[in-house]
Amino acid sequence: MRRKMITLCVTALLILTCSLTVFAQDFDPEKTGSISVTLTEQYKKEPIVGAELSVYYVATAHMNTNGNLSYVYTDAFENSGIDIDDPSLAIKLDAFVLAHNISSIKITTDKNGTATCKDLALGLYFIRQT
């Protein structure tokens, strides 16, 4: 179960980072986006219905003076001491949110195993199954 959670978190972080990279040339800080996650049972490949996920807004995206995207931690994560470029970012964020009772947006998977969170500010998000 923990392996699934970590895989989900790392995948979400990678997807969001890749999506923002595509938009770097046309970066508009006023734009919003969405995250959609689909959970399936590992062996039966059936959708997991009714699973609750917590979505944490970790860092805002900014265009730096070099024309590259950079991230600035939100207030909830600014004192985490975690390096955004750390390969074990998802594991460290997981421990941090549990230890500090960080608030999140709750979403639940539907009959297809899909949960969506809309109208999100551009940035870095951490998702964990709760």
Side-chain angles (χ1 to χ4, degrees), residues 84-95:
I84 283 186
D85 295 322
D86 188 327
S88 59
L89 179 62
I91 294 167
K92 291 180 178 179
L93 287 174
D94 186 52

Side-chain angles (χ1 to χ4, degrees), residues 92-102:
K92 291 180 178 179
L93 287 174
D94 186 52
F96 186 80
V97 298
L98 290 175
H100 294 87
N101 197 28
I102 306 294

Side-chain angles (χ1 to χ4, degrees), residues 59-105:
T60 60
H62 298 277
M63 184 71 68
N64 65 26
T65 56
N66 297 331
N68 296 319
L69 284 177
S70 62
Y71 297 97
V72 176
Y73 277 121
T74 59
D75 290 344
F77 291 90
E78 69 182 345
N79 295 319
S80 68
I82 305 169
D83 182 358
I84 283 186
D85 295 322
D86 188 327
S88 59
L89 179 62
I91 294 167
K92 291 180 178 179
L93 287 174
D94 186 52
F96 186 80
V97 298
L98 290 175
H100 294 87
N101 197 28
I102 306 294
S103 63
S104 65
I105 300 168

